[in-house]
Amino acid sequence: MAATTESAAALRPAPPRSRARPFSSPSPQVPAARPATTPSDPEHPGPLLLMPSSLKGLGQAWLSSSSMALSACCSVSAWQKRLPVLAWLPRYSLQWLKMDFIAGLSVGLTVIPQALAYAEVAGLPPQYGLYSAFTGCFVYVFLGTSRDVTLGPTAIMSLLVSFYTFHEPAYAVLLTFLSGCIQLAMGLLHLGFLLDFISCPVIKGFTSAAAIIIGFGQIKAGRCHSGPGLHGAAACAEAHAGPHSSCPPRDAPLRAAQLWAGVDHCHSISKRLPCGCQPGAAGHRTAVNAQSGVCTPAGGLVTGALVLLSLDYLTSLFYYIPKAALAAVIIMAVVPLFDTKIFGMLWRVKRLDLLPLCATFLLCFWEVQYGILAGTLVSTLFLLHFVARPKTQVSEGPVLILQLASGLHFPAIETLRDIVLSRALEVTSPRPAVLECSHVCSIDYTVVLGLAGLLEDFRKQGVSLVFSGLQAPVLHTLLAADLKGFQNFPTLEKAEQYVRQELGMEPYNVCEDSVPEHKVTLLTA
């Protein structure tokens, strides 16, 4: 035994001698990693040491994933998405500069009189309209994703501001700050989908009511004098005799100065950017910008600079602008917002949509925000009604066939259950049923429970309930629930043939049952 030990010791290689390194501090001795071994006692396992190669592989994988994430975060496309100015600025040319300068000048000549007029609508001093007209132009140059859009005060936005600022500029500044914070939070949380629940009839009702409120608010019947009245009427007539198109032609972009009373199509669903001392939005100036041949958002620099110059050198002259002329600008801007054709269009297309339109239109004369909320609520109730009462085509016969014409969600399961039970089981002679679900793209847990109850009711009556045409996500959900007696067939014909064979109405043939294969394939995936 001793000889064996001595021979084994002799066979071991001698430890390598360390070489002395001059002018170096002694390095700490690091124990060499031992190979992973299996402990001899399974009840008391020892520590499992990783091989150096395993550590190296893990390190390389971590470095690779980290580098990929870093490259995705710091890539050029990612920065261009966050700062769109980086996409067009490297390719900027003198030709673009010329077109942007002309477009910015055209929009600036349009926005100055409009900003003065909209400040009156908001109940603020006229200069506050100009304060709101240049900030958005500068910011949008760096963050804007569209070359045509230009931001500033609008008629409807000014009307909303007047309800909450009490003619105090300090409240307007606070309102602008709070609206910007709310919009920033909604953007970070990706809540823009909430605007999809505001239907077109609600928007039309709101803009039509706002046009009447703003227009009649400029007519001071009790304080109207002959001189200002004639002046305002002449301004309206001159504006009406101007260009009839909504935008100036490309060959004469400087004719935008004639659009003192242009149509301000406010988009109450466009992405707004708080600017200056009252909120603003994209309006008719966007159309002027586009028709003037703008090439990049840099046109906003010219517009903002023109507004700043007018604030610095022309504010003393703004005092002499007659209020009747500003009222004419406002009236001619909001008149086209009243859409008289929408009522006849909805009467021909879908009369039910007149309800949210009328609810919004009437309640806006009480409170604008109440009108919008009422119209949205009515539209949402219609939507929920269609979800809770899906259209179902029923074919009577020895086999009851129900074809769902729309989706199937939890508000609709009770209605479907009542239809199936009343037509198939709550009769003198219970009969089998087939649910054709090719239009059902998703279901929830409540629907799964309801279908399980239906299968149990049919099983107690000794008849079958089968499904056909289930899409892959829905089929996967039902298979994962492991419903007792669940059967699905790819087509309605095969499902009906299977049920008729059970009833003995057709000779028995081996029918392809796709449930086992689908269950194995889908659940394995």
Side-chain angles (χ1 to χ4, degrees):
M1 188 69 179
T4 306
T5 306
E6 292 177 359
S7 61
L11 293 175
R12 292 176 183 171
R17 296 181 179 179
S18 60
R19 297 180 179 177
R21 293 179 295 176
F23 306 104
S24 62
S25 59
S27 59
Q29 295 182 357
V30 181
R34 293 177 294 175
T37 56
T38 304
S40 57
D41 188 0
E43 296 182 359
H44 303 282
L48 182 62
L49 299 178
L50 293 175
M51 294 291 290
S53 59
S54 302
L55 289 174
K56 184 178 180 181
L58 289 176
Q60 290 179 349
W62 182 83
L63 289 176
S64 176
S65 60
S66 301
S67 61
M68 291 178 61
L70 185 62
S71 61
C73 179
C74 301
S75 62
V76 176
S77 60
W79 279 105
Q80 289 179 352
K81 184 177 181 181
R82 290 174 174 82
L83 289 175
V85 66
L86 300 177
W88 55 265
L89 187 59
R91 300 181 290 110
Y92 205 75
S93 63
L94 291 177
Q95 180 65 24
W96 288 4
L97 177 61
K98 175 184 175 181
M99 300 303 297
D100 288 343
F101 179 82
I102 294 176
L105 186 61
S106 303
V107 175
L109 294 175
T110 304
V111 74
I112 291 175
Q114 284 187 345
L116 295 173
Y118 295 154
E120 292 288 335
V121 176
L124 301 174
Q127 63 269 23
Y128 282 86
L130 294 176
Y131 295 159
S132 303
F134 67 87
T135 309
C137 298
F138 292 143
V139 175
Y140 198 78
V141 171
F142 300 94
L143 302 179
T145 57
S146 174
R147 64 181 181 180
D148 299 325
V149 172
T150 178
L151 302 179
T154 61
I156 294 181
M157 185 67 67
S158 302
L159 176 65
L160 295 176
V161 171
S162 66
F163 291 151
Y164 301 101
T165 58
F166 310 106
H167 297 212
E168 290 291 337
Y171 288 108
V173 175
L174 179 61
L175 176 62
T176 302
F177 174 74
L178 294 178
S179 62
C181 293
I182 293 174
Q183 292 171 15
L184 178 62
M186 293 182 67
L188 294 176
L189 298 176
H190 301 283
L191 298 180
F193 71 92
L194 295 177
L195 299 180
D196 297 337
F197 292 94
I198 303 179
S199 62
C200 184
V202 175
I203 298 173
K204 290 293 185 180
F206 163 63
T207 55
S208 299
I212 295 177
I213 295 172
I214 296 173
F216 280 93
Q218 303 304 311
I219 301 176
K220 313 294 184 182
R223 296 183 294 172
C224 184
H225 301 284
S226 59
L230 292 177
H231 195 168
C236 290
E238 182 180 358
H240 182 71
H244 295 283
S245 60
S246 60
C247 311
R250 285 186 177 268
D251 56 352
L254 293 181
R255 288 181 60 190
Q258 302 178 11
L259 296 177
W260 270 54
V263 182
D264 191 359
H265 295 291
C266 177
H267 302 288
S268 299
I269 60 173
S270 64
K271 294 183 178 179
R272 292 180 292 273
L273 181 68
C275 50
C277 292
Q278 70 179 74
H284 172 68
R285 295 172 300 276
T286 297
V288 175
N289 201 28
Q291 292 297 317
S292 299
V294 68
C295 296
T296 67
L301 293 176
V302 182
T303 301
L306 187 61
V307 175
L308 285 177
L309 290 176
S310 65
L311 278 170
D312 195 11
Y313 298 105
L314 301 178
T315 49
S316 59
L317 301 178
F318 293 156
Y319 175 79
Y320 299 100
I321 297 178
K323 289 190 175 181
L326 296 180
V329 172
I330 296 171
I331 292 174
M332 296 305 296
V334 300
V335 164
L337 294 179
F338 187 83
D339 191 355
T340 56
K341 298 179 181 179
I342 187 63
F343 296 93
M345 179 64 68
L346 292 180
W347 181 264
R348 295 191 302 270
V349 176
K350 191 172 185 180
R351 300 177 183 178
L352 196 61
D353 285 339
L354 286 172
L355 291 179
L357 172 68
C358 295
T360 305
F361 180 78
L362 295 177
L363 288 180
C364 277
F365 292 102
W366 177 29
E367 289 287 346
V368 174
Q369 62 272 22
Y370 293 160
I372 298 175
L373 291 176
T376 304
L377 180 61
V378 173
S379 300
T380 306
L381 290 178
F382 288 162
L383 180 63
L384 292 177
H385 174 77
F386 292 136
V387 172
R389 300 293 184 269
K391 294 183 179 180
T392 306
Q393 298 179 0
V394 181
S395 300
E396 302 285 352
V399 178
L400 182 67
I401 300 176
L402 295 96
Q403 293 179 294
L404 298 176
S406 60
L408 185 60
H409 302 281
F410 68 91
I413 188 59
E414 288 300 326
T415 301
L416 178 63
R417 179 183 176 86
D418 293 340
I419 294 176
V420 174
L421 292 180
S422 61
R423 298 291 186 92
L425 299 185
E426 297 176 357
V427 292
T428 305
S429 178
R431 53 181 173 173
V434 178
L435 285 181
E436 205 282 321
C437 305
S438 59
H439 295 288
V440 180
C441 58
S442 65
I443 59 175
D444 49 52
Y445 181 68
T446 306
V447 174
V448 172
L449 291 180
L451 295 178
L454 280 176
L455 289 172
E456 181 66 19
D457 293 336
F458 273 81
R459 187 181 64 82
K460 291 180 180 178
Q461 295 290 337
V463 291
S464 298
L465 173 64
V466 299
F467 299 80
S468 69
L470 287 174
Q471 299 184 20
V474 181
L475 180 60
H476 183 275
T477 302
L478 293 177
L479 291 176
D482 198 15
L483 302 181
K484 186 177 182 180
F486 171 74
Q487 296 184 84
N488 175 64
F489 296 88
T491 62
L492 177 61
E493 291 75 13
K494 291 185 177 182
E496 188 176 3
Q497 180 185 3
Y498 173 81
V499 175
R500 289 178 177 273
Q501 290 172 357
E502 278 196 340
L503 295 177
M505 301 175 60
E506 293 184 2
Y508 180 77
N509 293 322
V510 179
C511 183
E512 179 184 357
D513 189 357
S514 59
V515 172
E517 291 103 355
H518 275 291
K519 188 168 185 178
V520 173
T521 304
L522 293 176
L523 293 183
T524 301

